[in-house]
Amino acid sequence: MINSKNIYLRPMEIADVRIKVKWLNDEQVRKTLGFSDYPVSLLATEAWLKKVAGDSKRKDFMLCLQENDEPIGFCGIKNIDLVNLKAESYLGIGNIDYWGKGIGLETKKVLLDYSFNFLNLNKVYSYHQADNEAMIKINLKLGAQREGLLREEIRLEGEMKDMVLMSVLRKDYFDKNTTNS
């Protein structure tokens, strides 16, 4: 388990699939994820989790509240490259009651701490819809930089959307977040 003040991350389990599917099929949540493959089924999501659970190049977590163990989202690190010391992070807060309350920032910080301190990575990157200002702001607060714009990169609900590639280097993260070094 990976902890912080308000949240903790635990490995995603088969029992979590039902709630993750509910979130992925929620239109409001799905729009923030850049996730176009819907509706999502329980069976397909269970198969996905069984497939990726043993993959050493990724870590998938459920995001839970410290106060009551309630799952409110999911996140992880994928495409872990231990040769080039980099990986991709992802984050989705499925329970919209927790949007805008600092949980995204806290979760991203926990993921970066894990990536830099436990996995010993040098760089963590992420892709976000160009209009997802909340995620872009979170990344900037933690020392990330915008690396590029991927024009009309994904198709969501019949519309082509731009994606932003952002990354944070270990040194920039610790310079910006000196309490973690």
Side-chain angles (χ1 to χ4, degrees), residues 15-24 42 62 71-72:
D16 299 317
V17 168
R18 183 170 302 283
I19 192 165
K20 184 174 182 184
V21 166
K22 177 183 169 197
W23 293 332
L24 292 175
L42 284 170
M62 287 301 286
I72 60 167

